[in-house]
Amino acid sequence: MRRVSFIAVALLLAACGNSGDDTGKSTGLDGAGKTLNVLVQANTIYPDQQRAWFTEINDKFKASTGAEVKFETFASPNDELTKIQTSVLSGQGPDIYSLGTTFTPTAYSTGAFLELKDDDWKKLGGKDAFLPSTLGISGPDAEHQVGIPFTSRPFVMAYNTDLLKAAGIDKPATSWDDLLGQAKQLTKGDTYGLAVAYADGFDPWKFIWAMSVQAGNPLVKDKKAQLTDPSTLKAYQTYLGWLATDKVVNPAAVGWKNAQAIADFGAGKAAFLPMVSATSKVTLDKSAVAGKYAYAIMPTVPPGQSSTTGVGATSILSGDNLVVAKYTKNKDLALALVKLLTSPEQQESYYKTFGELPTNATAAKKLQADPALAPIIDSASKASGTPFNGAWSQVQLALVNVVVQSIPALKDGKLDETKLKALIADGQKAAQDALDKSK
């Protein structure tokens, strides 16, 4: 198997059982004096809760195995690059990595992570312990998997029910063009139609991907990048145009991260908050719009069209996977920790704290009766996976970079089509170069 560049891989990994009581000493493991190192993305929305969770997991795992758990976080791709490059190249470092599902293909292509065998899955409680859909991007096929589902994060759109009702709008639009029409109608004074995080490193590409695949362009086909397809240009024009030309987004959003967009919507300053997951619920239920908002699946009709001509995807197949480093000297302990993290009790607790949907089948079943989550569950059923290619995360970064390079013009309220086409052409080259180097 041809391996992709480790530097690229490390940069791009940044980015998407029964119970804890059954782990550790109850299974004969003795981790006294040992420490497991786990690398995860820093939670910028709930940082205090994340630190408390680190302590909770360490305490539980130490009580059951004698081993300690040390969490490390990365805040940016460059931060992760330094940490992962050093550990993998030296053959020591984190035992477990948490990474977004869309980056699992890149992780798999490195050959640096444990490919799970039947015995490994048994130690985790069996594949049946997980929702089948969450295993969809754990590997290239059911027999070659490295990713253990940790969280499920289907994307939806939140909307302010009071604002829509006052405007005489019954429900959110099902096409991107009609959503823009509603957003224009709802933009008044310091209240805008849409809250969008243009400076977020993880959100922008998902809009471009969704609009492109809905128009019949998968962005990668037969190892060929298709970023210069007219449908993708239209997607960028639509997404960037919301701020630059349509003026339905707060100008300050050009510098917003996801947390800031959620906060703006939570303050009642926007009618729609597209591309959010159930993680937003924890914040919104404590905000000014508590009891005054709802979720809906995002539009599936691409810009400029009256019907879906491609895949009616409402979301990427999204979430986080846990992968175990091949070099770990504590494989069984690592699997025991993963079993704890994916147990029904811990998954339910994690959802209540962070709003991340469970991948554990038992925990997920308990949430099905919550009417507020119905659109999110619906979106999960209509989600579509990104290409399982080792270069996909580089393609993903190329998509984001077009937005990053467009921000200076957006700050001036401009959208130059000639410059945009040039940026997309640069993204096409970067994506194709990555695909040519991958298997």
Side-chain angles (χ1 to χ4, degrees):
M1 176 183 292
R2 194 175 185 182
R3 309 300 186 195
V4 296
S5 162
F6 174 75
I7 292 179
V9 170
L11 175 63
L12 295 164
L13 287 176
C16 127
N18 294 321
S19 74
D21 294 334
D22 292 335
T23 62
K25 290 180 178 177
S26 62
T27 58
L29 292 178
D30 183 1
K34 297 181 179 180
T35 300
L36 285 180
N37 291 286
V38 183
L39 184 66
V40 302
Q41 181 182 340
N43 192 317
T44 57
I45 301 177
Y46 308 115
D48 294 338
Q49 292 89 333
Q50 186 181 47
R51 285 190 289 271
W53 180 74
F54 290 162
T55 300
E56 175 192 346
I57 293 302
N58 176 63
D59 291 346
K60 285 181 178 295
F61 197 65
K62 186 174 182 179
S64 63
T65 68
E68 296 198 37
V69 181
K70 180 180 179 182
F71 287 93
E72 301 176 65
T73 62
F74 58 88
S76 69
N78 285 333
D79 182 23
E80 187 183 22
L81 170 62
T82 301
K83 292 182 178 181
I84 298 182
Q85 183 181 23
T86 301
S87 62
V88 173
L89 292 182
S90 65
Q92 56 184 354
D95 300 275
I96 300 171
Y97 299 71
S98 174
L99 52 96
T101 50
T102 61
F103 299 137
T104 302
T106 299
Y108 179 84
S109 70
T110 68
F113 300 100
L114 177 69
E115 192 168 295
L116 300 156
K117 304 303 180 184
D118 289 343
D119 186 56
D120 299 321
W121 283 111
K122 288 179 182 178
K123 292 176 181 177
L124 298 171
K127 285 187 180 182
D128 291 345
F130 301 90
L131 290 173
S133 61
T134 63
L135 291 162
I137 200 165
S138 291
D141 55 60
E143 302 305 318
H144 302 85
Q145 296 175 315
V146 296
I148 304 159
F150 177 45
T151 65
S152 177
R153 198 181 304 119
F155 291 97
V156 289
M157 177 168 62
Y159 64 97
N160 187 308
T161 54
D162 282 3
L163 290 178
L164 265 67
K165 183 179 180 180
I169 299 174
D170 293 333
K171 58 183 179 180
T174 58
S175 75
W176 291 105
D177 288 350
D178 288 344
L179 179 64
L180 174 57
Q182 291 182 344
K184 288 180 176 180
Q185 184 180 346
L186 291 159
T187 298
K188 298 177 181 179
D190 63 350
T191 300
Y192 291 84
L194 297 167
V196 180
Y198 283 96
D200 194 271
F202 302 95
D203 281 359
W205 73 268
K206 299 184 183 81
F207 286 93
I208 307 307
W209 172 87
M211 296 177 190
S212 295
V213 299
Q214 289 164 5
N217 176 23
L219 293 172
V220 174
K221 184 177 181 180
D222 299 327
K223 288 200 67 176
K224 298 296 181 183
Q226 299 185 148
L227 276 63
T228 52
D229 187 271
S231 65
T232 300
L233 171 62
K234 182 66 174 177
Y236 277 112
Q237 290 172 327
T238 298
Y239 175 72
L240 298 172
W242 290 337
L243 189 150
T245 56
D246 300 314
K247 311 298 183 183
V248 295
V249 180
N250 188 325
V254 72
W256 284 355
K257 304 293 187 182
N258 180 264
Q260 292 166 291
I262 293 174
D264 187 69
F265 178 83
K269 296 298 183 180
F272 296 104
L273 176 64
M275 205 61 72
V276 292
S277 67
T279 58
S280 61
K281 192 174 186 297
V282 177
T283 295
L284 297 180
D285 283 347
K286 299 176 182 177
S287 74
V289 300
K292 304 174 184 178
Y293 79 96
Y295 293 111
I297 62 172
M298 285 187 292
T300 56
V301 178
Q305 298 186 23
S306 59
S307 62
T308 305
T309 53
V311 178
T314 58
S315 169
I316 61 171
L317 186 60
S318 178
D320 290 314
N321 282 332
L322 298 172
V323 293
V324 177
K326 275 188 175 179
Y327 60 69
T328 181
K329 297 178 180 179
N330 298 299
K331 174 185 169 182
D332 286 344
L333 276 173
L335 292 175
L337 177 58
V338 172
K339 185 179 181 183
L340 170 64
L341 297 177
T342 58
S343 67
E345 293 79 7
Q346 283 302 316
Q347 290 261 294
E348 186 173 354
S349 173
Y350 199 82
Y351 164 71
K352 291 179 179 178
T353 303
F354 301 103
E356 300 275 20
L357 294 182
T359 58
N360 180 280
T362 300
K365 187 176 181 179
K366 292 183 179 181
L367 301 180
Q368 292 178 353
D370 186 345
L373 296 178
I376 298 175
I377 295 172
D378 187 23
S379 180
S381 70
K382 297 173 181 174
S384 181
T386 50
F388 200 95
N389 184 289
W392 171 253
S393 38
Q394 286 147 295
V395 175
Q396 182 173 309
L397 270 191
L399 292 169
V400 172
N401 192 53
V402 173
V403 177
V404 172
Q405 297 302 319
S406 298
I407 283 181
L410 287 182
K411 289 181 178 178
D412 296 329
K414 298 177 181 178
L415 181 57
D416 187 315
E417 184 173 324
T418 299
K419 290 183 178 179
L420 178 59
K421 287 182 177 179
L423 290 173
I424 294 174
D426 290 342
Q428 167 73 19
K429 184 179 185 304
Q432 190 58 57
D433 286 347
L435 288 165
D436 290 341
K437 294 174 183 177
S438 68
K439 182 182 178 186

PDB file of all heavy atoms in Angstrom, residues 70-99:
ATOM      1  N   LYS A  70      -4.102  10.480  30.614  1.00  0.00           N
ATOM      2  CA  LYS A  70      -3.646  11.852  30.427  1.00  0.00           C
ATOM      3  C   LYS A  70      -4.141  12.341  29.067  1.00  0.00           C
ATOM      4  O   LYS A  70      -3.807  11.763  28.042  1.00  0.00           O
ATOM      5  CB  LYS A  70      -2.117  11.933  30.496  1.00  0.00           C
ATOM      6  CG  LYS A  70      -1.579  13.351  30.302  1.00  0.00           C
ATOM      7  CD  LYS A  70      -0.059  13.392  30.370  1.00  0.00           C
ATOM      8  CE  LYS A  70       0.455  14.804  30.144  1.00  0.00           C
ATOM      9  NZ  LYS A  70       1.944  14.842  30.168  1.00  0.00           N
ATOM     10  N   PHE A  71      -4.941  13.392  29.079  1.00  0.00           N
ATOM     11  CA  PHE A  71      -5.474  13.951  27.841  1.00  0.00           C
ATOM     12  C   PHE A  71      -4.600  15.102  27.358  1.00  0.00           C
ATOM     13  O   PHE A  71      -4.193  15.969  28.134  1.00  0.00           O
ATOM     14  CB  PHE A  71      -6.905  14.458  28.043  1.00  0.00           C
ATOM     15  CG  PHE A  71      -7.915  13.355  28.183  1.00  0.00           C
ATOM     16  CD1 PHE A  71      -8.277  12.883  29.435  1.00  0.00           C
ATOM     17  CD2 PHE A  71      -8.518  12.795  27.060  1.00  0.00           C
ATOM     18  CE1 PHE A  71      -9.216  11.872  29.575  1.00  0.00           C
ATOM     19  CE2 PHE A  71      -9.450  11.777  27.192  1.00  0.00           C
ATOM     20  CZ  PHE A  71      -9.798  11.308  28.450  1.00  0.00           C
ATOM     21  N   GLU A  72      -4.331  15.099  26.076  1.00  0.00           N
ATOM     22  CA  GLU A  72      -3.666  16.213  25.416  1.00  0.00           C
ATOM     23  C   GLU A  72      -4.646  16.782  24.396  1.00  0.00           C
ATOM     24  O   GLU A  72      -5.455  16.054  23.823  1.00  0.00           O
ATOM     25  CB  GLU A  72      -2.408  15.753  24.689  1.00  0.00           C
ATOM     26  CG  GLU A  72      -1.354  15.101  25.563  1.00  0.00           C
ATOM     27  CD  GLU A  72      -0.200  14.592  24.724  1.00  0.00           C
ATOM     28  OE1 GLU A  72       0.504  15.420  24.107  1.00  0.00           O
ATOM     29  OE2 GLU A  72      -0.021  13.365  24.647  1.00  0.00           O
ATOM     30  N   THR A  73      -4.572  18.087  24.161  1.00  0.00           N
ATOM     31  CA  THR A  73      -5.474  18.691  23.189  1.00  0.00           C
ATOM     32  C   THR A  73      -4.691  19.433  22.115  1.00  0.00           C
ATOM     33  O   THR A  73      -3.568  19.887  22.342  1.00  0.00           O
ATOM     34  CB  THR A  73      -6.440  19.683  23.849  1.00  0.00           C
ATOM     35  OG1 THR A  73      -5.695  20.760  24.443  1.00  0.00           O
ATOM     36  CG2 THR A  73      -7.285  19.002  24.918  1.00  0.00           C
ATOM     37  N   PHE A  74      -5.307  19.528  20.949  1.00  0.00           N
ATOM     38  CA  PHE A  74      -4.743  20.364  19.893  1.00  0.00           C
ATOM     39  C   PHE A  74      -5.796  21.415  19.540  1.00  0.00           C
ATOM     40  O   PHE A  74      -6.988  21.159  19.548  1.00  0.00           O
ATOM     41  CB  PHE A  74      -4.360  19.539  18.664  1.00  0.00           C
ATOM     42  CG  PHE A  74      -5.477  18.762  18.037  1.00  0.00           C
ATOM     43  CD1 PHE A  74      -6.286  19.323  17.058  1.00  0.00           C
ATOM     44  CD2 PHE A  74      -5.726  17.440  18.413  1.00  0.00           C
ATOM     45  CE1 PHE A  74      -7.316  18.597  16.473  1.00  0.00           C
ATOM     46  CE2 PHE A  74      -6.751  16.708  17.832  1.00  0.00           C
ATOM     47  CZ  PHE A  74      -7.550  17.287  16.850  1.00  0.00           C
ATOM     48  N   ALA A  75      -5.322  22.629  19.278  1.00  0.00           N
ATOM     49  CA  ALA A  75      -6.234  23.740  19.010  1.00  0.00           C
ATOM     50  C   ALA A  75      -6.279  24.114  17.547  1.00  0.00           C
ATOM     51  O   ALA A  75      -7.186  24.804  17.096  1.00  0.00           O
ATOM     52  CB  ALA A  75      -5.816  24.961  19.832  1.00  0.00           C
ATOM     53  N   SER A  76      -5.286  23.650  16.792  1.00  0.00           N
ATOM     54  CA  SER A  76      -5.214  23.999  15.374  1.00  0.00           C
ATOM     55  C   SER A  76      -4.475  22.898  14.627  1.00  0.00           C
ATOM     56  O   SER A  76      -3.784  22.073  15.232  1.00  0.00           O
ATOM     57  CB  SER A  76      -4.457  25.319  15.198  1.00  0.00           C
ATOM     58  OG  SER A  76      -3.081  25.144  15.513  1.00  0.00           O
ATOM     59  N   PRO A  77      -4.590  22.881  13.287  1.00  0.00           N
ATOM     60  CA  PRO A  77      -3.851  21.889  12.503  1.00  0.00           C
ATOM     61  C   PRO A  77      -2.343  21.957  12.739  1.00  0.00           C
ATOM     62  O   PRO A  77      -1.681  20.928  12.826  1.00  0.00           O
ATOM     63  CB  PRO A  77      -4.217  22.254  11.059  1.00  0.00           C
ATOM     64  CG  PRO A  77      -5.577  22.856  11.167  1.00  0.00           C
ATOM     65  CD  PRO A  77      -5.535  23.648  12.449  1.00  0.00           C
ATOM     66  N   ASN A  78      -1.791  23.168  12.856  1.00  0.00           N
ATOM     67  CA  ASN A  78      -0.351  23.287  13.075  1.00  0.00           C
ATOM     68  C   ASN A  78       0.061  22.732  14.434  1.00  0.00           C
ATOM     69  O   ASN A  78       1.114  22.105  14.570  1.00  0.00           O
ATOM     70  CB  ASN A  78       0.071  24.758  12.967  1.00  0.00           C
ATOM     71  CG  ASN A  78       0.093  25.244  11.532  1.00  0.00           C
ATOM     72  OD1 ASN A  78       0.287  24.455  10.622  1.00  0.00           O
ATOM     73  ND2 ASN A  78      -0.116  26.533  11.335  1.00  0.00           N
ATOM     74  N   ASP A  79      -0.765  22.964  15.432  1.00  0.00           N
ATOM     75  CA  ASP A  79      -0.505  22.432  16.771  1.00  0.00           C
ATOM     76  C   ASP A  79      -0.497  20.908  16.726  1.00  0.00           C
ATOM     77  O   ASP A  79       0.387  20.249  17.269  1.00  0.00           O
ATOM     78  CB  ASP A  79      -1.579  22.943  17.732  1.00  0.00           C
ATOM     79  CG  ASP A  79      -1.368  22.471  19.160  1.00  0.00           C
ATOM     80  OD1 ASP A  79      -0.225  22.141  19.514  1.00  0.00           O
ATOM     81  OD2 ASP A  79      -2.356  22.448  19.917  1.00  0.00           O
ATOM     82  N   GLU A  80      -1.483  20.355  16.042  1.00  0.00           N
ATOM     83  CA  GLU A  80      -1.556  18.901  15.951  1.00  0.00           C
ATOM     84  C   GLU A  80      -0.403  18.337  15.142  1.00  0.00           C
ATOM     85  O   GLU A  80       0.124  17.253  15.436  1.00  0.00           O
ATOM     86  CB  GLU A  80      -2.880  18.476  15.329  1.00  0.00           C
ATOM     87  CG  GLU A  80      -3.074  16.961  15.368  1.00  0.00           C
ATOM     88  CD  GLU A  80      -4.346  16.524  14.704  1.00  0.00           C
ATOM     89  OE1 GLU A  80      -4.871  17.271  13.883  1.00  0.00           O
ATOM     90  OE2 GLU A  80      -4.809  15.412  15.013  1.00  0.00           O
ATOM     91  N   LEU A  81       0.005  19.061  14.106  1.00  0.00           N
ATOM     92  CA  LEU A  81       1.119  18.627  13.273  1.00  0.00           C
ATOM     93  C   LEU A  81       2.352  18.364  14.118  1.00  0.00           C
ATOM     94  O   LEU A  81       2.975  17.310  14.025  1.00  0.00           O
ATOM     95  CB  LEU A  81       1.430  19.690  12.219  1.00  0.00           C
ATOM     96  CG  LEU A  81       2.731  19.496  11.421  1.00  0.00           C
ATOM     97  CD1 LEU A  81       2.696  18.210  10.627  1.00  0.00           C
ATOM     98  CD2 LEU A  81       2.989  20.682  10.531  1.00  0.00           C
ATOM     99  N   THR A  82       2.695  19.321  14.978  1.00  0.00           N
ATOM    100  CA  THR A  82       3.880  19.182  15.820  1.00  0.00           C
ATOM    101  C   THR A  82       3.771  17.976  16.747  1.00  0.00           C
ATOM    102  O   THR A  82       4.700  17.170  16.873  1.00  0.00           O
ATOM    103  CB  THR A  82       4.088  20.457  16.661  1.00  0.00           C
ATOM    104  OG1 THR A  82       4.236  21.574  15.782  1.00  0.00           O
ATOM    105  CG2 THR A  82       5.316  20.324  17.536  1.00  0.00           C
ATOM    106  N   LYS A  83       2.599  17.825  17.403  1.00  0.00           N
ATOM    107  CA  LYS A  83       2.420  16.752  18.377  1.00  0.00           C
ATOM    108  C   LYS A  83       2.392  15.373  17.728  1.00  0.00           C
ATOM    109  O   LYS A  83       3.025  14.433  18.205  1.00  0.00           O
ATOM    110  CB  LYS A  83       1.146  16.997  19.182  1.00  0.00           C
ATOM    111  CG  LYS A  83       1.238  18.211  20.099  1.00  0.00           C
ATOM    112  CD  LYS A  83      -0.017  18.398  20.932  1.00  0.00           C
ATOM    113  CE  LYS A  83       0.137  19.582  21.871  1.00  0.00           C
ATOM    114  NZ  LYS A  83      -1.047  19.809  22.724  1.00  0.00           N
ATOM    115  N   ILE A  84       1.647  15.252  16.632  1.00  0.00           N
ATOM    116  CA  ILE A  84       1.523  13.936  16.009  1.00  0.00           C
ATOM    117  C   ILE A  84       2.788  13.549  15.267  1.00  0.00           C
ATOM    118  O   ILE A  84       3.230  12.396  15.322  1.00  0.00           O
ATOM    119  CB  ILE A  84       0.307  13.897  15.060  1.00  0.00           C
ATOM    120  CG1 ILE A  84      -0.975  14.134  15.851  1.00  0.00           C
ATOM    121  CG2 ILE A  84       0.242  12.558  14.331  1.00  0.00           C
ATOM    122  CD1 ILE A  84      -2.235  14.078  15.018  1.00  0.00           C
ATOM    123  N   GLN A  85       3.401  14.483  14.565  1.00  0.00           N
ATOM    124  CA  GLN A  85       4.622  14.176  13.825  1.00  0.00           C
ATOM    125  C   GLN A  85       5.702  13.660  14.765  1.00  0.00           C
ATOM    126  O   GLN A  85       6.352  12.640  14.488  1.00  0.00           O
ATOM    127  CB  GLN A  85       5.120  15.416  13.091  1.00  0.00           C
ATOM    128  CG  GLN A  85       6.359  15.144  12.240  1.00  0.00           C
ATOM    129  CD  GLN A  85       6.846  16.392  11.540  1.00  0.00           C
ATOM    130  OE1 GLN A  85       6.565  17.506  11.991  1.00  0.00           O
ATOM    131  NE2 GLN A  85       7.562  16.218  10.455  1.00  0.00           N
ATOM    132  N   THR A  86       5.869  14.343  15.882  1.00  0.00           N
ATOM    133  CA  THR A  86       6.891  13.943  16.845  1.00  0.00           C
ATOM    134  C   THR A  86       6.623  12.548  17.407  1.00  0.00           C
ATOM    135  O   THR A  86       7.519  11.698  17.469  1.00  0.00           O
ATOM    136  CB  THR A  86       6.952  14.950  18.009  1.00  0.00           C
ATOM    137  OG1 THR A  86       7.260  16.250  17.491  1.00  0.00           O
ATOM    138  CG2 THR A  86       8.010  14.538  19.021  1.00  0.00           C
ATOM    139  N   SER A  87       5.356  12.285  17.770  1.00  0.00           N
ATOM    140  CA  SER A  87       5.042  11.007  18.411  1.00  0.00           C
ATOM    141  C   SER A  87       5.077   9.834  17.442  1.00  0.00           C
ATOM    142  O   SER A  87       5.635   8.781  17.767  1.00  0.00           O
ATOM    143  CB  SER A  87       3.670  11.082  19.077  1.00  0.00           C
ATOM    144  OG  SER A  87       2.660  11.326  18.130  1.00  0.00           O
ATOM    145  N   VAL A  88       4.514  10.009  16.257  1.00  0.00           N
ATOM    146  CA  VAL A  88       4.468   8.888  15.320  1.00  0.00           C
ATOM    147  C   VAL A  88       5.845   8.569  14.759  1.00  0.00           C
ATOM    148  O   VAL A  88       6.240   7.407  14.635  1.00  0.00           O
ATOM    149  CB  VAL A  88       3.464   9.161  14.185  1.00  0.00           C
ATOM    150  CG1 VAL A  88       3.539   8.072  13.119  1.00  0.00           C
ATOM    151  CG2 VAL A  88       2.050   9.246  14.746  1.00  0.00           C
ATOM    152  N   LEU A  89       6.604   9.596  14.419  1.00  0.00           N
ATOM    153  CA  LEU A  89       7.927   9.354  13.848  1.00  0.00           C
ATOM    154  C   LEU A  89       8.890   8.768  14.877  1.00  0.00           C
ATOM    155  O   LEU A  89       9.793   8.026  14.533  1.00  0.00           O
ATOM    156  CB  LEU A  89       8.502  10.649  13.269  1.00  0.00           C
ATOM    157  CG  LEU A  89       7.791  11.198  12.029  1.00  0.00           C
ATOM    158  CD1 LEU A  89       8.485  12.456  11.521  1.00  0.00           C
ATOM    159  CD2 LEU A  89       7.756  10.145  10.923  1.00  0.00           C
ATOM    160  N   SER A  90       8.658   9.103  16.152  1.00  0.00           N
ATOM    161  CA  SER A  90       9.538   8.570  17.196  1.00  0.00           C
ATOM    162  C   SER A  90       9.027   7.242  17.743  1.00  0.00           C
ATOM    163  O   SER A  90       9.717   6.567  18.501  1.00  0.00           O
ATOM    164  CB  SER A  90       9.650   9.580  18.349  1.00  0.00           C
ATOM    165  OG  SER A  90       8.397   9.747  18.988  1.00  0.00           O
ATOM    166  N   GLY A  91       7.789   6.884  17.360  1.00  0.00           N
ATOM    167  CA  GLY A  91       7.221   5.629  17.834  1.00  0.00           C
ATOM    168  C   GLY A  91       6.770   5.675  19.266  1.00  0.00           C
ATOM    169  O   GLY A  91       6.662   4.644  19.928  1.00  0.00           O
ATOM    170  N   GLN A  92       6.508   6.863  19.764  1.00  0.00           N
ATOM    171  CA  GLN A  92       5.993   6.997  21.125  1.00  0.00           C
ATOM    172  C   GLN A  92       5.158   8.266  21.207  1.00  0.00           C
ATOM    173  O   GLN A  92       5.344   9.197  20.448  1.00  0.00           O
ATOM    174  CB  GLN A  92       7.135   7.051  22.133  1.00  0.00           C
ATOM    175  CG  GLN A  92       8.145   8.156  21.879  1.00  0.00           C
ATOM    176  CD  GLN A  92       9.314   8.096  22.844  1.00  0.00           C
ATOM    177  OE1 GLN A  92       9.324   7.305  23.774  1.00  0.00           O
ATOM    178  NE2 GLN A  92      10.305   8.942  22.622  1.00  0.00           N
ATOM    179  N   GLY A  93       4.206   8.254  22.133  1.00  0.00           N
ATOM    180  CA  GLY A  93       3.303   9.397  22.239  1.00  0.00           C
ATOM    181  C   GLY A  93       1.906   8.919  22.571  1.00  0.00           C
ATOM    182  O   GLY A  93       1.732   7.918  23.268  1.00  0.00           O
ATOM    183  N   PRO A  94       0.878   9.617  22.084  1.00  0.00           N
ATOM    184  CA  PRO A  94      -0.503   9.237  22.397  1.00  0.00           C
ATOM    185  C   PRO A  94      -0.808   7.788  22.024  1.00  0.00           C
ATOM    186  O   PRO A  94      -0.411   7.308  20.956  1.00  0.00           O
ATOM    187  CB  PRO A  94      -1.330  10.212  21.555  1.00  0.00           C
ATOM    188  CG  PRO A  94      -0.446  11.409  21.412  1.00  0.00           C
ATOM    189  CD  PRO A  94       0.937  10.848  21.277  1.00  0.00           C
ATOM    190  N   ASP A  95      -1.506   7.122  22.906  1.00  0.00           N
ATOM    191  CA  ASP A  95      -1.939   5.745  22.630  1.00  0.00           C
ATOM    192  C   ASP A  95      -3.223   5.751  21.805  1.00  0.00           C
ATOM    193  O   ASP A  95      -3.458   4.850  21.002  1.00  0.00           O
ATOM    194  CB  ASP A  95      -2.197   5.005  23.946  1.00  0.00           C
ATOM    195  CG  ASP A  95      -0.960   4.933  24.819  1.00  0.00           C
ATOM    196  OD1 ASP A  95      -0.160   3.999  24.613  1.00  0.00           O
ATOM    197  OD2 ASP A  95      -0.794   5.807  25.686  1.00  0.00           O
ATOM    198  N   ILE A  96      -4.055   6.778  22.025  1.00  0.00           N
ATOM    199  CA  ILE A  96      -5.345   6.882  21.355  1.00  0.00           C
ATOM    200  C   ILE A  96      -5.491   8.287  20.784  1.00  0.00           C
ATOM    201  O   ILE A  96      -5.121   9.274  21.424  1.00  0.00           O
ATOM    202  CB  ILE A  96      -6.509   6.621  22.345  1.00  0.00           C
ATOM    203  CG1 ILE A  96      -6.389   5.215  22.940  1.00  0.00           C
ATOM    204  CG2 ILE A  96      -7.865   6.809  21.664  1.00  0.00           C
ATOM    205  CD1 ILE A  96      -7.367   4.956  24.081  1.00  0.00           C
ATOM    206  N   TYR A  97      -6.010   8.360  19.567  1.00  0.00           N
ATOM    207  CA  TYR A  97      -6.292   9.637  18.927  1.00  0.00           C
ATOM    208  C   TYR A  97      -7.787   9.728  18.656  1.00  0.00           C
ATOM    209  O   TYR A  97      -8.416   8.752  18.253  1.00  0.00           O
ATOM    210  CB  TYR A  97      -5.581   9.760  17.575  1.00  0.00           C
ATOM    211  CG  TYR A  97      -4.070   9.689  17.606  1.00  0.00           C
ATOM    212  CD1 TYR A  97      -3.403   8.488  17.868  1.00  0.00           C
ATOM    213  CD2 TYR A  97      -3.300  10.819  17.342  1.00  0.00           C
ATOM    214  CE1 TYR A  97      -2.019   8.416  17.874  1.00  0.00           C
ATOM    215  CE2 TYR A  97      -1.913  10.752  17.342  1.00  0.00           C
ATOM    216  CZ  TYR A  97      -1.272   9.554  17.613  1.00  0.00           C
ATOM    217  OH  TYR A  97       0.098   9.488  17.618  1.00  0.00           O
ATOM    218  N   SER A  98      -8.356  10.911  18.849  1.00  0.00           N
ATOM    219  CA  SER A  98      -9.729  11.167  18.442  1.00  0.00           C
ATOM    220  C   SER A  98      -9.671  12.019  17.186  1.00  0.00           C
ATOM    221  O   SER A  98      -9.005  13.062  17.171  1.00  0.00           O
ATOM    222  CB  SER A  98     -10.487  11.915  19.547  1.00  0.00           C
ATOM    223  OG  SER A  98     -11.779  12.278  19.105  1.00  0.00           O
ATOM    224  N   LEU A  99     -10.342  11.574  16.128  1.00  0.00           N
ATOM    225  CA  LEU A  99     -10.298  12.319  14.879  1.00  0.00           C
ATOM    226  C   LEU A  99     -11.655  12.306  14.197  1.00  0.00           C
ATOM    227  O   LEU A  99     -12.458  11.410  14.401  1.00  0.00           O
ATOM    228  CB  LEU A  99      -9.227  11.752  13.944  1.00  0.00           C
ATOM    229  CG  LEU A  99      -9.256  10.246  13.661  1.00  0.00           C
ATOM    230  CD1 LEU A  99     -10.000   9.976  12.373  1.00  0.00           C
ATOM    231  CD2 LEU A  99      -7.850   9.694  13.565  1.00  0.00           C
TER     232      LEU A  99
END
